[in-house]
Amino acid sequence: MIVQEKQLKEFLLDSGLITELDYENAMAEAGRSKNKLTVGHVLINNAKISEDDFRRAEAYVLGIPFVSLKGQKIDPVILALIPEPVARKNNAIAFRREGDTLEVAMLDTKDLSSIEFIKKKVGLKILLRLTDSDSIKSALLQYQKSLRAEFGDIIQKDAVALKSLIDNRGVGSTGEDLKKMAEDLPVIRILDTLLKHSILQNASDIHIEVLENELLIRYRIDGILHDAMVLPKSVASSIIARIKVLASLKLDEKRLPQDGRFKMEVNGEGVSFRVSILPTYFGEKAVMRLLRENVSGFTLEAMGFHGEALEILHEAIKQTTGLILTTGPTGSGKTTTLYTLLDILNTADVNISTIEDPVEYQMDRINQTQVKPEIGFTFANGLRSLVRQDPDIIMVGEIRDNETASLAINAALTGHLVLSTLHTNSAAGAMPRLVDMKIEPFLIVSTVKVIIAQRLIRRLSANKEKYFLSKSEVASLAKIIDIKRVLEFLQKEKIIGDKETIETIPFYKPKESAESKDGYGGRVCICEVLKMTPTIKELVVRGEPDHVINEQAKKEGMISMIEDGIFKAVQGVTTIEEVLRVISE
């Protein structure tokens, strides 16, 4: 092994991938590390070399071919030769077979015990190939794709079994009958499978809709609804009853809407399901919002905030008093932004309290309260009590009425930092909205520090297609935005060079891959962050409309939401079409 390390070092230095000093520093750090890191790990961790380059160098020295599985579709039959738990534990992927010979890609081809275990498991001759962690992740996602196909079969089989059970027993409508239906093994299996399936699909919501002749199940993935499955209508009452049991709702109440919540754990990840049941013409409709509980670790940068907007936000949360507002329609990521700000503010020397409807994520060391309007515990009542407890920072889930707005403004005036959300389409639109709630303009300018407006757009997956804008496309784009202004922002943040034009900048289109059918995966924020400057305060006091305030903010350097979207399209994060789709909604 000493000779091999020496060979590896010589190869890395000869190829110019690292310097002698880089290697010596990495060797010293590896010697000091408690986790027994190798020199390679340290070089990769310190960004001195990419993992891909390091693996290729290692493969060359070992005399083992290097393969990249990124974007490569593996035959499900071959992939399944190494079961997913084994593949995940050993970082080993079966990707090609010829006769009794199986090619296996691994991260560590020196792991002899894993190789021997896989050899016994598959009963074939193994040809080892070295790969990188991105390739392993890409291949592990394909296990989930084949798992989804299996889920469909399981659900259909259980639905048939459940239908025959219901036919034999006869459908009852009493609470006791419904409870028995909810405890039938097929219905338990169907719902458990659906919930696991939706988590694998990274769905944010599950819609279970009773139609005239069938039960339709749809998932909202990256903000767009997709049909997931169609089941016989006869199983609808059993599935709704099962959801009600899990969420501790009344089984025999079918005339009024009901809301509840339950939790489950999948692959060590805690997921909360927020349940809403609504009576419809053909039966009860259930919508479940998936809330992953391991939310700590969100950062403003990862969410899509950058440049001056990011600096304004960091400056605003350093204040000890005032009001920070996030605006946008339902499902635009407002609450996630507030939770991210709270996560940054959550230090040992401050007391943070929230009043929410509902509490979406549980956060350590934060006192979270859920409103209950049915017993008279509203945002206004809760906020009034909360202020008496003298917290340093208050988060109000939403400002919906004059009373809540007045209390939030008052709390911001009397020594609290208040964070809240408001339903408006733009940052500048928040001011007229507060005036509509009978808040005096002089109080608005005294308390509001920053207003964020945001939307969520789908993020392009790694496998994307590059193209350049034609003259007609540039002309169309120029009608919507000021191209010169966007280029200035891009140059300021060193995304493009000073001499680049819109015609020379590459844009990207989605490309279908094994990882993503539509070429997108995950979402990111596009936003505008309006700072309450002296000139904007003057416009608010004068009662100017939102478009005048917006123009002034842009003159003072605010990047608008659509400009931020094109900014992210230039970076290859998303597409122009996706930005226009979201902005026009």
Side-chain angles (χ1 to χ4, degrees):
M1 284 313 294
I2 295 166
V3 177
Q4 203 175 63
E5 288 292 340
K6 189 181 173 187
Q7 284 179 313
L8 187 60
K9 178 187 172 183
E10 284 171 4
F11 181 80
L12 290 171
L13 294 175
D14 290 345
S15 59
L17 290 167
I18 58 164
T19 64
E20 181 87 43
L21 182 63
D22 288 337
Y23 194 89
E24 284 172 11
N25 290 342
M27 209 157 97
E29 194 176 325
R32 290 193 303 270
S33 78
K34 293 175 184 176
N35 302 332
K36 296 183 180 176
L37 291 175
T38 64
V39 175
H41 281 129
V42 175
L43 288 168
I44 294 164
N45 292 346
N46 294 344
K48 296 297 179 188
I49 187 171
S50 71
E51 191 194 359
D52 208 352
D53 285 341
F54 183 79
R55 294 285 177 200
R56 285 176 192 276
E58 200 176 25
Y60 179 83
V61 171
L62 289 166
I64 294 171
F66 176 89
V67 293
S68 174
L69 302 177
K70 284 177 277 192
Q72 190 176 317
K73 181 78 177 82
I74 303 168
D75 183 338
V77 176
I78 293 167
L79 188 68
L81 287 171
I82 300 176
E84 188 193 9
V86 176
R88 196 176 287 277
K89 187 184 174 188
N90 298 287
N91 288 311
I93 302 293
F95 67 97
R96 191 178 294 132
R97 180 181 176 174
E98 279 184 22
D100 63 347
T101 304
L102 183 69
E103 288 187 61
V104 175
M106 292 185 76
L107 278 186
D108 183 4
T109 54
K110 303 184 288 294
D111 186 352
L112 299 177
S113 60
S114 293
I115 295 163
E116 198 56 40
F117 177 72
I118 290 163
K119 204 171 180 181
K120 283 179 183 173
K121 192 86 183 160
V122 298
L124 297 167
K125 185 184 171 188
I126 301 291
L127 286 181
L128 290 178
R129 304 290 181 252
L130 203 63
T131 193
D132 58 8
S133 56
D134 281 349
S135 291
I136 296 287
K137 283 177 193 168
S138 168
L140 288 172
L141 275 173
Q142 293 184 50
Y143 274 104
Q144 294 181 0
K145 297 277 195 299
S146 56
L147 213 57
R148 290 167 196 164
E150 285 173 36
F151 274 167
D153 294 341
I154 291 165
I155 288 173
Q156 293 294 355
K157 281 175 194 169
D158 281 332
V160 171
L162 182 59
K163 186 177 183 298
S164 61
L165 259 175
I166 293 164
D167 291 344
N168 293 338
R169 187 186 292 159
V171 179
S173 59
T174 67
E176 201 53 45
D177 287 342
L178 290 165
K179 196 174 181 201
K180 280 179 187 169
M181 284 162 64
E183 287 167 357
D184 283 333
L185 194 59
V187 78
I188 291 170
R189 278 208 303 252
I190 287 174
L191 195 64
D192 279 1
T193 310
L194 272 175
L195 299 179
K196 286 173 185 170
H197 186 191
S198 65
I199 293 164
L200 285 179
Q201 293 266 35
N202 281 325
S204 60
D205 302 83
I206 308 167
H207 289 243
I208 298 175
E209 304 169 43
V210 187
L211 307 181
E212 189 174 2
N213 299 310
E214 59 196 15
L215 181 70
L216 175 65
I217 293 153
R218 300 198 284 173
Y219 297 148
R220 190 177 293 281
I221 302 167
D222 295 338
I224 292 173
L225 273 172
H226 301 267
D227 285 9
M229 210 158 290
V230 175
L231 297 175
K233 187 182 177 182
S234 55
V235 306
S237 52
S238 304
I239 288 173
I240 299 294
R242 180 67 191 158
I243 293 167
K244 284 180 177 179
V245 166
L246 290 173
S248 305
L249 302 177
K250 292 176 186 172
L251 282 168
D252 53 355
E253 179 55 81
K254 296 187 177 186
R255 299 164 303 158
L256 293 172
Q258 294 189 74
D259 295 306
R261 191 179 183 122
F262 66 90
K263 284 183 189 178
M264 72 182 293
E265 200 166 289
V266 178
N267 299 332
E269 180 190 14
V271 181
S272 281
F273 291 85
R274 199 173 85 203
V275 177
S276 171
I277 309 273
L278 184 72
T280 63
Y281 188 74
F282 293 113
E284 290 176 286
K285 178 189 175 183
V287 176
M288 290 180 277
R289 165 69 55 94
L290 280 72
L291 303 164
R292 285 167 171 79
E293 294 187 347
N294 53 346
V295 290
S296 59
F298 268 129
T299 64
L300 293 169
E301 292 87 345
M303 286 183 68
F305 291 93
H306 59 91
E308 199 173 317
L310 188 63
E311 286 171 30
I312 290 168
L313 276 180
H314 279 296
E315 187 187 314
I317 61 175
K318 283 176 188 167
Q319 309 293 315
T320 53
T321 63
L323 185 59
I324 297 171
L325 291 170
T326 65
T327 71
T330 304
S332 59
K334 301 187 296 295
T335 309
T336 305
T337 300
L338 287 189
Y339 276 121
T340 305
L341 292 173
L342 287 183
D343 204 29
I344 298 166
L345 289 163
N346 193 8
T347 55
D349 57 341
V350 293
N351 176 269
I352 304 176
S353 292
T354 75
I355 180 94
E356 305 171 57
D357 182 22
V359 172
E360 294 203 4
Y361 302 108
Q362 279 86 43
M363 296 185 81
D364 289 339
R365 299 177 65 90
I366 291 180
N367 310 291
Q368 295 172 271
T369 307
Q370 182 161 325
V371 300
K372 290 186 173 68
E374 65 275 13
I375 58 167
F377 183 34
T378 61
F379 272 118
N381 292 344
L383 186 50
R384 199 175 282 112
S385 302
L386 208 59
V387 173
R388 290 191 203 115
Q389 298 211 338
D390 194 34
D392 301 288
I393 298 158
I394 299 169
M395 193 263 263
V396 183
E398 189 184 335
I399 294 175
R400 294 177 181 171
D401 51 45
N402 163 255
E403 197 179 1
T404 311
S406 300
L407 287 164
I409 294 277
N410 192 49
L413 279 170
T414 56
H416 305 87
L417 181 64
V418 181
L419 288 76
S420 190
T421 69
L422 203 61
H423 277 277
T424 63
N425 289 327
S426 66
M431 260 76 84
R433 179 86 181 94
L434 288 170
V435 171
D436 285 346
M437 290 180 176
K438 307 287 186 290
I439 303 298
E440 294 290 346
F442 75 88
L443 288 174
I444 296 170
V445 299
S446 305
T447 53
V448 176
K449 304 292 180 192
V450 165
I451 303 165
I452 307 157
Q454 62 184 76
R455 301 285 187 281
L456 290 176
I457 53 168
R458 290 181 296 166
R459 189 191 281 273
L460 278 169
S461 57
N463 193 26
K464 52 195 172 188
E465 194 179 322
K466 187 193 287 188
Y467 76 102
F468 294 88
L469 294 179
S470 64
K471 283 185 179 177
S472 62
E473 285 170 328
V474 171
S476 298
L477 195 60
K479 290 175 187 173
I480 304 162
I481 60 154
D482 182 343
I483 292 172
K484 188 184 172 191
R485 207 172 116 83
V486 175
L487 293 177
E488 284 169 5
F489 282 120
L490 287 158
Q491 286 159 1
K492 191 177 174 184
E493 292 190 37
K494 306 282 189 290
I495 306 292
I496 61 168
D498 293 341
K499 292 180 182 175
E500 294 269 24
T501 67
I502 197 75
E503 289 88 355
T504 63
I505 297 167
F507 285 84
Y508 295 86
K509 288 178 179 175
K511 196 175 177 185
E512 194 175 313
S513 67
E515 287 178 42
S516 170
K517 279 187 180 177
D518 58 5
Y520 293 98
R523 288 191 290 175
V524 68
C525 253
I526 54 170
C527 56
E528 55 191 35
V529 177
L530 188 151
K531 185 181 179 183
M532 192 64 83
T533 61
T535 45
I536 287 172
K537 284 180 181 180
E538 199 180 309
L539 293 175
V540 175
V541 171
R542 288 207 319 248
E544 296 288 353
D546 55 355
H547 66 86
V548 175
I549 296 167
N550 193 55
E551 281 308 309
Q552 181 59 35
K554 284 170 77 173
K555 280 177 192 168
E556 292 177 12
M558 181 185 85
I559 183 168
S560 72
M561 217 170 341
I562 191 162
E563 288 167 345
D564 190 39
I566 303 301
F567 184 101
K568 288 183 170 74
V570 169
Q571 287 179 295
V573 172
T574 190
T575 62
I576 294 174
E577 292 76 15
E578 176 65 7
V579 173
L580 298 179
R581 177 188 74 81
V582 170
I583 292 291
S584 62
E585 277 180 351

